[in-house]
């Protein structure tokens, strides 16, 4: 893929700038290349997240996400949704963290509902609504809250009815230990397994987005998931051939 470089310091406090820069570039490409192709969905994902692309393809079909429907029942944002998260005010205690916020930075006691920045799926039209709200929305350095919370709350009206948010919290694995345990499991003897459905439940990865703790773990998870799905597809083909031959 392309490597983008913006004219700003790449620091934790500039993550909002970085986030907006990426979204802006995406919309720019959409507008410049619309005669050649049309971007129907945008996946924003952190570089340490293991994406289960097989599950993603199935989810897109099930949720009707890629349809042109303007119905509010058709989601335009799929994410891990945080509701009523209290603002961390512990600036000078043992609980102080990099997410501690002063009242000058954010005055309210709770953040608006927002999506985790680990990974979320949205549409170009939704991003345009968010970016339109930047001039009227005070800057905040926690990018998840600012982009998918504050900008979404203040988003500009579009040409059609605004589509909703679909929380998919159950499809996120936040503990890298779960991925590590899965990678350590012994692979089943797929060739001798005559029940692919059971095989899929027991060996393939359930979650859509998963935290990892190293580049090596991420590469291993992607490789194992790809290998298991290839073996699963082969087992299913063999089972269909067996049914055709005997029934």
């Amino acid at each position: 893929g392309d490597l983008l470089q913006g004219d700003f310091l790449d620091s934790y406090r500039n993550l909002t700038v970085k986030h907006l820069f990426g979204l802006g570039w995406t919309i720019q490409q959409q507008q410049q290349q619309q005669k050649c192709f049309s971007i129907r969905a945008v996946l924003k994902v952190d570089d340490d997240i293991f994406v289960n692309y097989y599950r993603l393809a199935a989810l897109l079909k099930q949720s009707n996400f890629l349809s042109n429907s303007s119905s509010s029942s058709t989601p335009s944002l799929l994410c891990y949704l945080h509701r009523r998260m209290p603002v961390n005010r512990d600036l000078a205690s043992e609980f102080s963290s990099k997410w501690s916020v002063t009242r000058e930075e954010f005055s309210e006691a709770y953040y608006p509902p927002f999506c985790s920045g680990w990974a979320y799926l949205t549409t170009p039209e939704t991003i345009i609504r968010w970016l339109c709200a930047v001039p009227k929305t005070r800057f905040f350095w926690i990018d998840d809250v600012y982009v998918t919370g504050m900008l979404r709350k203040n988003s500009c009206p579009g040409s059609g009815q605004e589509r909703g948010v679909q929380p998919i919290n159950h499809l996120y694995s936040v503990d890298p230990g779960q991925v590590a345990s899965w990678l350590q499991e012994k692979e089943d003897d797929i060739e001798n397994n005559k029940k692919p459905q059971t095989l899929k439940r027991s060996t393939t990865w359930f979650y859509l987005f998963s935290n990892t703790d190293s580049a090596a773990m991420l590469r291993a998870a992607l490789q194992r998931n790809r290998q298991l799905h290839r073996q699963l597809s082969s087992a299913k083909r063999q089972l269909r051939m067996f049914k055709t031959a005997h029934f």
Side-chain angles (χ1 to χ4, degrees), residues 1 13 23-25 39 47 70 73 94 99 102-103 106 132 135 169 178 186 203 212 227-228 230 233 238:
R13 287 270 176 160
L23 295 181
W25 178 87
I39 300 173
D47 59 6
S70 60
S73 62
E94 59 180 319
W99 295 290
T102 66
R103 295 190 184 278
F106 193 90
C132 177
N169 297 26
Q178 290 183 299
K186 292 183 179 180
T203 62
T212 63
Q227 180 185 21
L228 287 172
R230 285 175 178 172
S233 296
Q238 293 177 13

Side-chain angles (χ1 to χ4, degrees), residues 160-180:
Q161 184 177 6
E162 185 172 2
R163 291 158 56 177
V165 182
Q166 179 178 334
I168 52 171
N169 297 26
H170 63 291
L171 295 180
Y172 285 71
S173 171
V174 299
D175 180 12
Q178 290 183 299
V179 179

Side-chain angles (χ1 to χ4, degrees), residues 6-7 9-12 18 24 34 41 80 100 118 141 162 190 197 211 222 233 240-241:
D7 187 17
L9 179 65
D10 191 3
S11 65
Y12 193 79
K18 190 176 185 178
Q34 58 184 348
Y80 189 108
S100 297
W118 299 324
W141 58 270
E162 185 172 2
I190 298 178
Q197 294 81 4
N211 276 327
L222 289 168
S233 296
R240 285 196 296 267
M241 293 172 62

Side-chain angles (χ1 to χ4, degrees), residues 1-5 25 29 53:
D2 294 327
L3 179 64
L4 304 181
Q5 184 173 353
W25 178 87
Q29 297 305 302
Y53 291 102

Side-chain angles (χ1 to χ4, degrees), residues 24 43 47 49 62 78 118 125 128 161 171 205 214 237-238 246:
L43 174 63
D47 59 6
I49 296 296
Q62 294 170 1
L78 304 177
W118 299 324
E125 293 76 14
I128 291 173
Q161 184 177 6
L171 295 180
W205 189 242
S214 68
R237 284 195 299 270
Q238 293 177 13
H246 293 81

Side-chain angles (χ1 to χ4, degrees), residues 2 4-6 20-39 42 123-125 127-128 131:
D2 294 327
L4 304 181
Q5 184 173 353
L20 293 175
F21 176 71
L23 295 181
W25 178 87
T26 302
I27 297 306
Q28 184 182 51
Q29 297 305 302
Q30 161 81 345
Q31 294 172 344
Q32 291 178 352
Q33 305 294 334
Q34 58 184 348
K35 292 183 179 180
C36 301
F37 63 88
S38 175
I39 300 173
V42 178
T123 65
E125 293 76 14
I127 294 174
I128 291 173
L131 295 179

